[in-house]
Amino acid sequence: MMAPLPKTPGIDGVPSPELVSTLPRRPLSLCVITRDEERNLARCLDSAAFADDVVVLDSGSTDGTVELARARGARVFVEPFRGHVAQKNRAVELAKHAWVLSLDADEEVSPPLRASIEQALADGRPDVAGFALARKTAYAGRFIEHGGWWPEWRVRLVDRARARWGGEDPHDRIVADGRIERLEGALHHYAYRDLAHHLEKVNRYTTTMAAGLHARGVRFSAFDLLTHPPAHFLKMFVLRRGFLDGWRGFVLATIGAFYVFLKYAKLWELGQRGPVAPPP
């Protein structure tokens, strides 16, 4: 059960940056895994410039990602990609400090969230193993407020001695041994450049998902293929009020349903023809 962090003075209960910047706090390592993230990485690193140590674990970028990270003072390591979960755990291993903030390169710490993070690190609560951040995703020029996309709570700030990355590739998550509290402020997420980029990610992620299901012995079911995609659309667009986001909500619910359909279709293909070659 995640409990909210007690509020301190400031706007809407969020501590002001001026207040927390003067507080002594536990040192923090920032960990980011990358590959060809030159477009996003500067925004991510600049938003978390308050970190005392920055680790960028790259898996063979061919753009300016590595040079950009080094120019901003990051300790850069280049190693083969092990999968989302294993790669993020490796980045945490490279951190200098006990408390770690794990971000994706397309994420940005908002000023109110920065203040909450620094306040949490200054409080020093031994029973708390980590903190969940509310991720808010931008789509087609606007942040999405419904459809299950907000607030999207993600545990990202942890005591690494009591937490590690788990889940199933590509949908990783942090598993913590201890109490989790929620922080005020938004973690901004710029996941998709455009519709083509969104569909490219859907294709890549569903290949990984289907391969993982097949490896665990899950086999194709026509019932799942026929019922899960429309159920997913209804959940996003109707039950979680995605319609309030207008045409963006409709597009996201439709692509979400297609994601589910494609996952089961690729699982069927694995059973028929063997492994599907991942897209380049």
Side-chain angles (χ1 to χ4, degrees):
M1 179 66 68
M2 290 185 290
L5 185 70
K7 295 182 178 180
T8 55
I11 299 175
D12 296 329
V14 178
S16 66
E18 294 78 11
L19 172 64
V20 297
S21 63
T22 62
L23 297 175
R25 63 168 176 80
R26 290 167 288 188
L28 175 70
S29 288
L30 169 68
C31 294
V32 186
I33 67 169
T34 60
R35 183 173 181 180
D36 295 332
E37 290 287 358
E38 182 182 21
R39 179 191 298 264
N40 292 311
L41 187 59
R43 178 181 59 226
C44 174
L45 297 183
D46 290 348
S47 75
F50 56 93
D52 306 283
D53 167 48
V54 178
V55 172
V56 171
L57 178 57
D58 191 77
S59 54
S61 291
T62 57
D63 62 2
T65 296
V66 169
E67 292 76 15
L68 187 155
R70 286 178 175 150
R72 279 169 166 73
R75 294 188 295 122
V76 180
F77 303 84
V78 180
E79 300 179 5
F81 188 66
R82 305 164 171 82
H84 292 80
V85 174
Q87 197 78 350
K88 290 185 176 182
N89 276 323
R90 173 58 178 159
V92 171
E93 290 175 1
L94 296 168
K96 288 183 177 180
H97 302 301
W99 279 86
V100 171
L101 174 64
S102 290
L103 297 180
D104 292 337
D106 59 6
E107 294 173 339
E108 174 189 36
V109 177
S110 67
L113 178 58
R114 169 182 175 169
S116 293
I117 290 172
E118 295 206 83
Q119 178 70 57
L121 292 172
D123 285 347
R125 300 180 185 182
D127 61 323
V128 176
F131 296 90
L133 317 182
R135 192 166 71 170
K136 194 171 193 177
T137 300
Y139 197 82
R142 198 180 83 182
F143 283 109
I144 300 301
E145 303 279 354
H146 307 91
W149 279 38
W150 170 256
E152 187 184 17
W153 291 101
R154 292 287 183 267
V155 179
R156 293 301 185 81
L157 176 64
V158 297
D159 175 356
R160 65 174 180 168
R162 293 182 286 169
R164 65 181 287 105
W165 284 95
E168 300 172 5
D169 290 334
H171 300 297
D172 46 58
R173 62 185 179 87
I174 287 180
V175 180
D177 181 19
R179 192 158 62 89
I180 299 296
E181 290 187 344
R182 290 179 172 181
L183 295 184
E184 301 280 346
L187 177 65
H188 294 159
H189 187 209
Y190 302 92
Y192 310 109
R193 296 191 300 269
D194 49 33
L195 187 59
H197 185 224
H198 192 173
L199 293 174
E200 174 191 322
K201 281 193 169 185
V202 166
N203 187 38
R204 196 166 65 241
Y205 286 4
T206 51
T207 296
T208 303
M209 284 291 293
L213 290 171
H214 191 266
R216 296 197 308 275
V218 178
R219 295 299 177 256
F220 169 76
S221 163
F223 178 81
D224 290 341
L225 182 69
L226 293 173
T227 61
H228 287 202
H232 188 88
F233 177 89
L234 290 173
K235 181 175 69 174
M236 284 189 66
F237 195 66
V238 179
L239 297 180
R240 295 183 173 175
R241 302 187 300 169
F243 61 87
L244 293 177
D245 286 309
W247 68 266
R248 291 175 180 83
F250 179 79
V251 169
L252 290 173
T254 301
I255 294 178
F258 178 63
Y259 181 106
V260 176
F261 171 84
L262 203 56
K263 176 179 68 175
Y264 287 114
K266 288 182 178 181
L267 184 61
W268 167 81
E269 188 174 46
L270 282 171
Q272 297 293 312
R273 304 178 184 177
V276 182

